């Protein structure tokens, strides 16, 4: 678990680990990929969650209370500097290959001495009626 | 209009201009503060909007079809590198001092040769029932 936390060399690597942890409900890995600091998380429809402990508590709640999630995700955009990376990702939440929900996430990563870590995840649900009009 | 576009020296300045333009339904200023490129916008509940023309079209639609908006906003978090800045902002949409909606926005700014410009705005509505529990 801590090996992932300490040795991620790119924002892309953190993102892969994040979605793996999300899909496999792995609370230890999820806790290991966030920076310990004033990180930010917004789950779809949720209030702002600030700080490592609150963010990890929110993820533990989600991961404990959900079935193993099937998520198909696609990186739509990356804005990168030496120390920050902002990725915009479309997430499709699936059940037996049927799309239950589409979420757009802004994921922010920061480079620290020990490597890259997640510092923000902001997810919002796409209104599926609008999606039907515009994304199909 | 173009003076704002070409001369913004900080991400904070872009953000102030953005909310002024939003509140005063100023389409010209709104168009002038976004980078012309693969910028990203997600309005609450909306699909992903990619590219300058589509993003500005979406803002023109909003600004043309809304009353002058009263918005109280508070910057909750800033993550900054030399060339990128990510701000998380709580926006309260008001009507005669009554809060109609609370939106959390992730705003991303980038430094270009001519100054800082907006490259992403991702807004999502807070479920007001949860807000009543947690933010009051």
């Amino acid at each position: 678990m801590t090996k992932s936390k300490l040795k991620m060399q790119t924002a892309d690597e953190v993102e892969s680990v994040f979605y793996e942890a999300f899909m496999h409900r792995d609370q230890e890995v999820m806790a290991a990929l966030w920076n310990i600091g004033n990180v930010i998380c917004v789950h779809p429809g949720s209030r702002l969650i600030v700080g490592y402990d609150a963010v990890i508590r929110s993820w533990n709640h989600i991961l404990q209370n959900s079935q193993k999630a099937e998520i198909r995700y696609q990186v739509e955009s990356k804005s990168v500097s030496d120390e920050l990376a902002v990725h915009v990702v479309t997430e499709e939440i699936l059940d037996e290959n049927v799309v239950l929900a589409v979420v757009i996430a802004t994921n922010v990563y920061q480079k620290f001495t020990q490597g890259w870590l997640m510092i923000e995840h902001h997810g919002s649900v796409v209104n599926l009626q609008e999606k039907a009009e515009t994304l199909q």
Side-chain angles (χ1 to χ4, degrees), chain A residues 48-71:
Chain A
L48 187 67
I49 303 170
V50 181
Y52 180 80
D53 289 349
V55 168
I56 296 307
R57 206 158 45 233
S58 77
W59 276 109
N60 286 346
H61 182 78
I62 288 170
L63 299 175
Q64 279 163 9
N65 290 283
S66 61
Q67 301 279 327
K68 181 176 173 178
E70 197 186 339
I71 302 169

Side-chain angles (χ1 to χ4, degrees), chain A residues 28-60:
Chain A
E28 280 190 89
V29 171
M30 183 61 79
L33 61 86
W34 285 84
N35 182 46
I36 297 176
N38 284 325
V39 295
I40 297 267
C41 193
V42 183
H43 300 291
S46 91
R47 67 183 177 85
L48 187 67
I49 303 170
V50 181
Y52 180 80
D53 289 349
V55 168
I56 296 307
R57 206 158 45 233
S58 77
W59 276 109
N60 286 346

